[in-house]
Amino acid sequence: METRSQWGTRAGFIMAAVGSAVGLGNIWRFPAVAYENGGGAFFIPYLFALLTAGIPILIMEFTMGHKYKGSAPLTYKRINKKAEWVGWWAVLVAFVISTYYSVIIAWAISYSVFSFNLSWGDDTGAFLFGEYLNLADPGEIGGFVPGVLIPLIIVWIVVLGILFKGVKKGIEVANRIFIPALVIIFIIIVIRAVTLPGALEGLEAFFAPDFGKMLDPSVWVAAYGQIFFSMSIAFAIMITYSSYLPKKSDITNNAFITGFGNSSFELLCGIGVFSVLGFMASQQGVGVDEVVAGGVGLAFVVFPEIINQFPAFNALFGFLFFASLVLAGLTSLMSITETYVAGLVDKFNISRNKAVLFGGGLAALVSLLFATQGGLNFLDVADYFINQFGVAFLGLVEVVLMAWVFRKLGEFKEHANEISDIKLGAWWTISLSIITPIVLGYQMFRLFEQNLLQEFDTETGNYGGYSDAFITYGGWAVAIGAIVVAILLSLKKWKTVDNSKGGK
């Protein structure tokens, strides 16, 4: 069975860490968030959030994994036995995300094929929701959608096949191929995008600063939220990967490389997305604000429509765009799945292959729900609740525990400074003990207020206008269930002999 010490390449770690951060969601989420929150002025709170939350939490999680040499559950157990459930909570959040994230990759595979003859036609929205997904009413499951089911099976065969190879021969090799390929493909797309008619208008809309919004607290909260969700922190990925680092690894330098690598890719995405949105607006004779969209609508409705209007090589650039989504998705999905594979290996002392088969196989089976006609509705609700009340809340709990309950920041700082060129000082401690808890605490307060006071939809009072029943079992049950199962797993006796806090 492969041990952590048998991987130990810093370059492989950086590839894996950047790969998990440079995810599929960054391609459409960051441009829309930046545009809606002050354009060019948004980069001020965004950079502040990166330096006071993103990179500090990355350093903390890298240190936790490196110091205690374990998966998230084992790391938390070694910090304090009463905290093991938090590690399992992080692992289960990752598990839930992997079940629907894999389906979005499957869509991208299908759309890569559709690109060859622009099968989505002129009405791209009707094609996605009607002809392709054959979308059922919220709460209804319906039958399987072959166009989603078949590529979904391919996604899991590829990901689990790589994971069966192990960390060094599987994940590291795959990331050395996928990450450079992703960057090259997206650079080609951006170069083409900025040369399109109307691209400058799109970039002007994206970068034009609205400094008046800097006085709006929600803009700063949005910046922290973007950093938090885009950098794969607080759901076990970075703790797991850093546990494979060799004994002498520059933790703070790795964190800065990962953080700025992620932010650079987000900026590249923003330039590419708004260049093509500017082109689309000029073709339709409307303002850029009338064609801006976020979420899956941008990737699978707006972009196919833009590709239709390209003056030449439509099929080629359509394929390149969706191929980049596939590569971004696969790198992230491998990272996400590795978190619960590592957790199972540590807790139950089983072989890696058994952990991949059981953990990955179960995730693949659950993901079949999202390959049905009602899959998009289940995906929408599960994604919202597990991200807002899973990742964000988990991050708040993690920071408060380490800074105020277990008071580990000093110990972590000493460990990181011993092996890192960039030394941690008051900036790091203040960021984690004061700034991040306040901002995340305010964000969670607002989220609970919105949901409990029913401020989302005028008719149902729920997120997305869904019924109370669907929100309960499709959203709240998923978020709360992750915590309940985490506590149950933490109560089970370990089969791994753990004689020291430094490793097995």
Side-chain angles (χ1 to χ4, degrees):
M1 181 168 60
E2 185 182 56
T3 63
R4 285 177 167 80
S5 61
Q6 287 175 318
W7 185 24
T9 64
R10 177 174 177 270
F13 165 78
I14 291 174
M15 282 288 187
V18 173
S20 63
V22 178
L24 189 154
N26 290 14
I27 293 177
W28 63 64
R29 192 176 192 272
F30 173 76
V33 171
Y35 177 76
E36 293 168 0
N37 290 280
F42 179 73
F43 289 97
I44 297 174
Y46 177 83
L47 182 61
F48 187 80
L50 174 66
L51 295 175
T52 59
I55 291 177
I57 293 177
L58 272 182
I59 292 173
M60 183 179 75
E61 292 196 341
F62 284 176
T63 304
M64 290 167 64
H66 183 264
K67 179 178 175 63
Y68 295 100
K69 293 296 180 185
S71 59
L74 183 56
T75 293
Y76 275 96
K77 175 180 178 289
R78 285 172 172 165
I79 290 174
N80 189 293
K81 291 182 179 180
K82 295 180 180 179
E84 182 191 333
W85 70 274
V86 180
W88 282 114
W89 183 16
V91 165
L92 286 162
V93 165
F95 176 85
V96 173
I97 291 174
S98 71
T99 62
Y100 63 78
Y101 198 83
S102 57
V103 177
I104 300 176
I105 303 171
W107 296 354
I109 291 176
S110 293
Y111 269 69
S112 298
V113 177
F114 296 154
S115 298
F116 291 121
N117 58 1
L118 309 182
S119 302
W120 48 68
D122 295 327
D123 192 343
T124 56
F127 176 84
L128 173 65
F129 301 113
E131 187 173 343
Y132 178 53
L133 295 179
N134 195 13
L135 188 61
D137 293 331
E140 295 182 6
I141 296 178
F144 285 115
V145 179
V148 179
L149 179 62
I150 295 172
L152 177 61
I153 293 172
I154 295 173
V155 167
W156 282 114
I157 289 175
V158 171
V159 170
L160 298 185
I162 291 171
L163 292 176
F164 272 123
K165 288 288 187 180
V167 178
K168 186 172 184 178
K169 294 181 179 179
I171 297 175
E172 180 179 344
V173 171
N175 275 299
R176 287 180 183 273
I177 298 172
F178 289 168
I179 297 303
L182 168 63
V183 173
I184 291 171
I185 289 175
F186 214 77
I187 287 176
I188 293 172
I189 293 172
V190 171
I191 292 173
R192 179 65 185 115
V194 297
T195 61
L196 291 170
L200 291 179
E201 286 75 8
L203 292 176
E204 183 179 354
F206 179 56
F207 285 108
D210 182 359
F211 291 107
K213 287 196 172 184
M214 294 302 95
L215 300 177
D216 185 352
S218 66
V219 172
W220 291 80
V221 173
Y224 276 84
Q226 176 60 31
I227 287 293
F228 209 77
F229 296 127
S230 70
M231 293 181 65
S232 297
I233 49 181
F235 53 103
I237 292 178
M238 297 308 180
I239 293 175
T240 302
Y241 272 157
S242 58
S243 72
Y244 297 120
L245 278 171
K247 188 174 182 180
K248 292 188 177 181
S249 299
D250 194 324
I251 290 176
T252 56
N253 191 36
N254 288 339
F256 275 97
I257 291 173
T258 303
F260 283 111
N262 170 74
S263 296
S264 299
F265 185 75
E266 288 193 315
L267 178 60
L268 186 67
C269 292
I271 293 172
V273 167
F274 270 84
S275 293
V276 294
L277 288 177
F279 165 73
M280 183 178 180
S282 69
Q283 294 297 105
Q284 297 181 1
V286 298
V288 176
D289 60 314
E290 295 186 43
V291 296
V292 174
V296 296
L298 175 61
F300 297 99
V301 176
V302 176
F303 261 89
E305 187 175 343
I306 293 171
I307 292 167
N308 285 345
Q309 300 176 32
F310 266 34
F313 303 110
N314 311 60
L316 173 61
F317 285 100
F319 174 78
L320 289 176
F321 174 73
F322 288 108
S324 68
L325 292 188
V326 173
L327 291 175
L330 288 174
T331 55
S332 292
L333 184 58
M334 286 188 299
S335 303
I336 294 170
T337 307
E338 176 66 21
T339 62
Y340 47 88
V341 168
L344 292 173
V345 169
D346 285 345
K347 179 78 175 186
F348 299 99
N349 197 24
I350 59 177
S351 70
R352 179 181 178 84
N353 285 350
K354 287 183 179 179
V356 171
L357 184 61
F358 178 75
L362 182 59
L365 287 175
V366 175
S367 71
L368 295 178
L369 170 65
F370 303 106
T372 62
Q373 292 171 317
L376 177 59
N377 295 317
F378 284 99
L379 186 156
D380 185 30
V381 174
D383 176 62
Y384 177 79
F385 277 85
I386 202 66
N387 270 292
Q388 304 299 335
F389 302 104
V391 177
F393 193 26
L394 173 58
L396 176 61
V397 170
E398 177 183 81
V399 171
V400 170
L401 282 178
M402 295 304 117
W404 294 104
V405 179
F406 301 134
R407 297 187 176 276
K408 287 288 185 177
L409 295 188
E411 186 180 323
F412 292 165
K413 182 193 294 186
E414 182 180 352
H415 179 84
N417 284 344
E418 285 179 357
I419 55 177
S420 302
D421 291 333
I422 303 175
K423 306 302 180 183
L424 302 178
W427 148 77
W428 186 75
T429 305
I430 293 173
S431 294
L432 290 179
S433 60
I434 299 175
I435 299 176
T436 300
I438 290 175
V439 175
L440 285 180
Y442 176 78
Q443 180 184 2
M444 292 311 304
F445 170 77
R446 288 293 298 148
L447 284 170
F448 277 112
E449 182 183 48
Q450 284 179 327
N451 283 271
L452 297 179
L453 297 182
Q454 300 183 333
E455 296 181 357
F456 277 104
D457 183 81
T458 56
E459 293 184 6
T460 67
N462 294 323
Y463 165 73
Y466 295 113
S467 67
D468 290 344
F470 188 55
I471 285 291
T472 299
Y473 69 77
W476 285 113
V478 174
I480 296 174
I483 299 177
V484 173
V485 176
I487 294 173
L488 293 176
L489 283 170
S490 68
L491 296 176
K492 183 172 178 59
K493 186 178 180 180
W494 283 75
K495 292 187 178 181
T496 299
V497 178
D498 183 20
N499 294 319
S500 72
K501 289 188 176 182
K504 293 186 284 187

